[in-house]
Amino acid sequence: MTMEAASTQRTHQSLWDVARPGRSGIRLPESDVPAQAMPEASLLRDELRLPEVSELDVVRHFTRLSQMNFAVDTNFYPLGSCTMKYNPKINDVVASQAGFSGIHPLQPEETVQGALELMHRLQEDLQAVTGMPASSLAPLAGAHGELAGVLMIKAYHDARGESDRKVMLIPDSAHGTNPASAAMGGFEVVSVPSDEMGRVDLAAVEAACDDRLAGLMITIPNTLGLFNPYIARVCELVHGAGGLVYGDGANMNALLGRARPYDLGFDVVHLNLHKTMSTPHGGGGPGAGPVCVGERLEPYLPSPVVERVDADGGARYRFATPTQSIGAMSAGHGNFGVLVRAYTYLRALGADGLRQASGDAVLNANYLRRKLEHVYRVAVDRTCMHEVVFSCRPQRDKGVKALDISKRMIDYGVHPPTMYFPLIVDEALMVEPTETESKETLDAFIAVMEAIAREVEESPDVLLEAPHFTPVGRLDEARAARQPDLRWQAP
């Protein structure tokens, strides 16, 4: 057996392959509680099909599985618009302290003053970053924050007797959650086209500003990675028609310390703490999507918010419900462990560090744009912000799609970027290097992308069959989505 074959065999071994009858990796202590009667027979199984293995077998099995995963801790992860940047370990150290990790959300407020103070300080920090006067930490994810924002806009119009304002404008370059959140909030979604430079079309916005307008949901910078120099004018048009402006803060990583949504004209913005503030994504969660609002929407914030009360005995903190709150967004007060991590990140960097982070993120994205524009078409030929969008249309004309290029990147040890988004770009690859990657890493990525571009010309079949070096080869993706195999069964 060759070394390569032996390695492959070990990679694919399951615990059943090393299981032996009577083998055990644990020793249970004597029970220190009285024995209890067994449940009725119909609830019991005669045999429990579990592998009998040693502790070392278990450790090696799950360690091998972990090495089959792709993580930003091990390789470059340029997933566009998701900001998969490094999560500083100090965040986890702080969040794991007993005073934060060992408390219960229903404890009396007087017993968790430290936690409430941290939440209050985080509210203030997020308000400083966005320029907004008020905020709530309650939403559990970015899309959850979006829903909170559109519900606040609805409550605002309803309170003014303008419930007939049903139209929500959304640019055609928006994240897909924007129209979904607007529809869930009871609004009619009207798509606004982009112009040739990737900006929202001013004439189209102006034409849609009538007495049925509830608001506009817009991402700044947008999903093309571009800042809209006319954003203040866009906000003026919406406000002039009686509408409000919702800012999707998913791309705030490009603006930290440099531009504040409130100053640009936004009435509400959510922040993806699992993107901008370096907290983990964690396989779809836990996330956090706090909302920050201007004066008009402050009474409608989701509950609870944390208030500071100054008394003779010193500052005290308490949960409060805004006067016209849209209500609770979940059973708790937000994902507290994520909030601790975000607060740690903000305090570790400070104002100067946040400004440098956004500057480095923009610099890195533009470095990739300039270094790769000779082999991959740039979607919009403008200076980008934190991410750059390429179009693989020229490669597709030669029989290789963006999907094939992404699959081949895996063979080179690079996680694929976002594919086929935004939808207005044909064969899109959205690349976000983030501020935490070195020039050496970026240069290595550039070399990979240049090598793949040569393969498109010289040996396209290599890409069409990629990846070649992963435990699982290319799947039938349509079938995998419709008939997912989510459970391993013993032979």
Side-chain angles (χ1 to χ4, degrees), residues 224-272:
L224 290 162
L226 302 174
F227 185 82
N228 188 340
Y230 307 138
I231 187 61
R233 177 57 181 157
V234 170
C235 294
E236 287 176 2
L237 289 172
V238 174
H239 289 152
L244 299 179
V245 180
Y246 180 96
D248 182 331
N251 294 341
M252 193 67 190
N253 208 52
L255 302 182
L256 287 174
R258 296 173 183 274
R260 305 191 306 177
Y262 187 69
D263 300 334
L264 299 175
F266 291 94
D267 298 289
V268 52
V269 63
H270 85 263
L271 295 176
N272 299 71

Side-chain angles (χ1 to χ4, degrees), residues 99 103-104 106-116 316:
I103 57 178
H104 192 280
L106 298 183
Q107 279 185 230
E109 291 176 1
E110 61 269 18
T111 68
V112 288
Q113 283 294 299
L116 293 182
R316 303 290 291 173

Side-chain angles (χ1 to χ4, degrees), residues 305-367:
V305 297
V306 181
E307 287 184 344
R308 171 176 168 150
V309 180
D310 293 315
D312 293 340
R316 303 290 291 173
Y317 299 88
R318 66 187 183 190
F319 286 121
T321 300
T323 55
Q324 295 171 273
S325 173
I326 60 172
M329 296 296 293
S330 68
H333 319 310
N335 279 325
F336 179 68
V338 175
L339 303 179
V340 176
R341 288 170 171 83
Y343 179 76
T344 304
Y345 179 76
L346 286 164
R347 286 293 164 173
L349 265 66
D352 291 341
L354 294 176
R355 183 178 175 86
Q356 181 180 346
S358 62
D360 289 348
V362 172
L363 176 64
N364 284 352
N366 279 281
Y367 182 68

